[in-house]
Amino acid sequence: MAPLFKGRADRKVPPLVPIPPIAELPPARMQASARYLGTLDSAGQKVVGRSLSAKSSARLSLSDEALDVVRIAGSFRIPTTGLRGARTGDSFGGKPVRDLLTVRWAHEGHEWETGFRMEAARSVRDAAKAQLGSSPRTKIQPDVGAWVRTIAKLARSNEGAQ
């Protein structure tokens, strides 16, 4: 069987889970701004369709219910039951990336990896762990490791529930 997502003609990507209205999002454990880099299938091929191949700015909100990816190119939700883990690294899709968060997830029988370049907090208000006394112009580096640990914990708790 040919790869499901390869090429422009075959866009048989199952419908994604939509996010609820922004005002109705569940309380977040973590939030961050990031650059959405794309989604790859288990063979490392770019997933095309449902705007999953469009690089764009994104706002991530991780709650006990889901990882909500809010972006103009197409927002979507990864329910925590679909989370398989996360990792950090220095490349995604063969390209070097700093402050990389790669989220592994399952959706309707497909295993995918989605990459995000986490952005530095622009203000103390945006930074979850801002140090007191830092200059307002200081960019606080993203704690990608905290995202990896939290997503891994949610994924492990789902393994026991299944």
Side-chain angles (χ1 to χ4, degrees), residues 2 4 22 26 62 84 99-100 105 120 140:
L4 188 61
I22 301 293
L62 180 63
R84 299 295 181 255
D99 299 323
L100 174 66
W105 56 295
I140 299 162

Side-chain angles (χ1 to χ4, degrees), residues 36-41 45-47 52 92 105 112-114:
Y36 174 85
L37 302 174
T39 297
L40 305 175
D41 66 11
Q45 297 293 317
K46 184 184 283 189
V47 178
L52 289 175
F92 184 77
W105 56 295
W112 291 337
E113 285 194 337
T114 298

Side-chain angles (χ1 to χ4, degrees), residues 17 64-67 77-84 105-107 158:
V17 178
D64 290 333
E65 287 181 27
L67 172 62
R77 170 174 264 208
I78 303 171
T80 55
T81 55
L83 290 173
R84 299 295 181 255
W105 56 295
H107 179 62
N158 291 327

Side-chain angles (χ1 to χ4, degrees), residues 4-94:
L4 188 61
F5 311 112
K6 194 168 183 174
R8 294 184 157 267
D10 196 357
R11 294 179 185 247
K12 296 179 182 173
V13 177
L16 300 173
V17 178
I19 65 168
I22 301 293
E24 297 174 20
L25 286 176
R29 286 181 174 219
M30 303 179 82
Q31 290 184 324
S33 294
R35 179 82 179 159
Y36 174 85
L37 302 174
T39 297
L40 305 175
D41 66 11
S42 57
Q45 297 293 317
K46 184 184 283 189
V47 178
V48 177
R50 309 277 181 202
S51 76
L52 289 175
S53 63
K55 295 179 183 177
S56 60
S57 295
R59 184 73 181 165
L60 305 179
S61 180
L62 180 63
S63 68
D64 290 333
E65 287 181 27
L67 172 62
D68 292 307
V69 181
V70 180
R71 60 193 196 112
I72 292 173
S75 298
F76 62 97
R77 170 174 264 208
I78 303 171
T80 55
T81 55
L83 290 173
R84 299 295 181 255
R87 64 180 169 79
T88 187
D90 56 9
S91 70
F92 184 77

Side-chain angles (χ1 to χ4, degrees), residues 93-113:
K95 296 181 181 175
V97 179
R98 63 175 166 48
D99 299 323
L100 174 66
L101 171 66
T102 302
V103 177
R104 292 185 319 275
W105 56 295
H107 179 62
E108 295 196 16
H110 302 286
E111 296 287 327
W112 291 337
E113 285 194 337

